[in-house]
């Protein structure tokens, strides 16, 4: 049951990520980078952080104790993209994220109940910065989803302030109803 629930939460996370990217694609470059006093400071920076956090956690789950997203400066929050080779466009982010979501699906497909209690080591770039923490795999998998929900709320708030309509659908119940409607239409 735990694997099924975790997989469902990650399916929802992936669906919301796509909705955020679709909404961001409607923005001008200026709006994408407009400053806000929430989240990481702009829709662009918040999307980079969301992508970066999902990258480093997947790397940690796969055994990399000190993961750094390509283009990031180490010892800073994931998605900072202030290093060499950082992402420069929404199109580039969309392509990288699509590939990353495929890696997540492959990872989640090979999970077993026994793996959920295993300890995963990761060096922190936030709380306890620099310290290597041991965390249960299940808690990391849940954290990735709750972090995504938190960051999504910030991005949606920015999109609302930018006048985006309609705002992206982000609720799990909306995903469930959309999927049910597709099933009903196929029958």
């Amino acid at each position: 049951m735990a694997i099924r629930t975790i997989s469902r939460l990650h399916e929802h996370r992936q669906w919301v990520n796509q909705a955020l990217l679709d909404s961001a694609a409607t923005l001008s470059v200026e709006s994408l980078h407009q400053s806000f006093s929430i989240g990481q400071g702009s829709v662009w920076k918040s999307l980079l952080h969301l992508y970066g956090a999902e990258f480093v956690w997947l790397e940690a789950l796969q055994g990399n104790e000190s993961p750094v997203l390509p283009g990031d400066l180490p010892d800073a929050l994931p998605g900072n993209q202030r290093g060499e080779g950082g992402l420069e466009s929404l199109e580039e982010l969309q392509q990288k994220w699509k590939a990353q979501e495929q890696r997540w699906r492959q990872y989640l497909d090979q999970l077993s109940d026994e793996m959920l209690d295993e300890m995963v080591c990761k060096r922190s770039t936030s709380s306890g910065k620099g310290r290597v923490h041991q965390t249960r795999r299940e808690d990391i998998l849940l954290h990735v989803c709750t972090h995504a929900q938190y960051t999504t709320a910030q991005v949606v708030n920015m999109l609302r302030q930018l006048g985006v309509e309609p705002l992206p659908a982000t609720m799990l119940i909306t995903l469930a109803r959309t999927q049910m409607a597709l099933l009903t239409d196929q029958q």
Side-chain angles (χ1 to χ4, degrees):
M1 183 69 170
I3 295 287
R4 183 176 176 193
T5 301
I6 287 169
S7 292
R8 182 63 169 165
L9 289 172
H10 279 272
E11 179 184 9
H12 173 252
R13 175 189 57 74
Q14 292 171 350
W15 178 75
V16 170
N17 286 347
Q18 188 58 58
L20 293 177
L21 288 168
D22 290 347
S23 288
T26 69
L27 299 174
S28 67
V29 172
E30 295 79 23
S31 293
L32 187 63
H33 293 274
Q34 182 174 323
S35 290
F36 291 94
S37 59
I38 57 175
Q40 299 302 309
S42 71
V43 171
W44 173 248
K45 288 179 181 177
S46 295
L47 290 173
L48 286 176
H49 175 67
L50 186 54
Y51 167 72
E54 293 175 8
F55 176 90
V56 298
W57 281 116
L58 181 56
E59 286 290 308
L61 287 163
Q62 294 178 323
N64 183 349
E65 187 176 288
S66 298
V68 177
L69 176 68
D72 272 3
L73 293 176
D75 300 322
L77 284 179
N80 67 74
Q81 293 296 283
R82 295 188 315 256
E84 189 174 319
L87 296 171
E88 296 183 11
S89 71
L90 185 60
E91 294 77 21
E92 190 178 4
L93 175 61
Q94 290 169 319
Q95 290 171 356
K96 297 279 187 183
W97 216 332
K98 183 177 181 178
Q100 180 168 289
E101 293 296 10
Q102 181 60 37
R103 288 181 59 222
W104 268 104
R105 279 189 290 281
Q106 290 170 349
Y107 176 80
L108 292 166
D109 286 347
Q110 59 83 37
L111 273 179
S112 67
D113 285 329
E114 297 75 33
M115 294 171 68
L116 295 178
D117 283 328
E118 294 173 351
M119 299 304 279
V120 174
C121 295
K122 180 184 171 295
R123 187 172 311 281
S124 179
T125 56
S126 58
S127 60
K129 190 173 183 173
R131 181 174 169 220
V132 175
H133 295 277
Q134 287 190 355
T135 310
R136 286 178 56 245
R137 188 176 306 275
E138 181 175 22
D139 291 329
I140 291 171
L141 289 163
L142 294 172
H143 167 73
V144 170
C145 294
T146 59
H147 175 268
Q149 291 171 352
Y150 177 81
T151 305
T152 292
Q154 295 171 335
V155 173
V156 169
N157 191 344
M158 290 181 234
L159 293 171
R160 180 179 289 111
Q161 291 181 53
L162 288 166
V164 170
E165 288 187 20
L167 289 170
T170 62
M171 303 303 281
L172 185 123
I173 196 69
T174 305
L175 170 61
R177 290 173 178 162
T178 300
Q179 290 173 327
M180 188 56 66
L182 287 172
L183 283 175
T184 303
D185 289 346
Q186 291 175 359
Q187 295 175 357

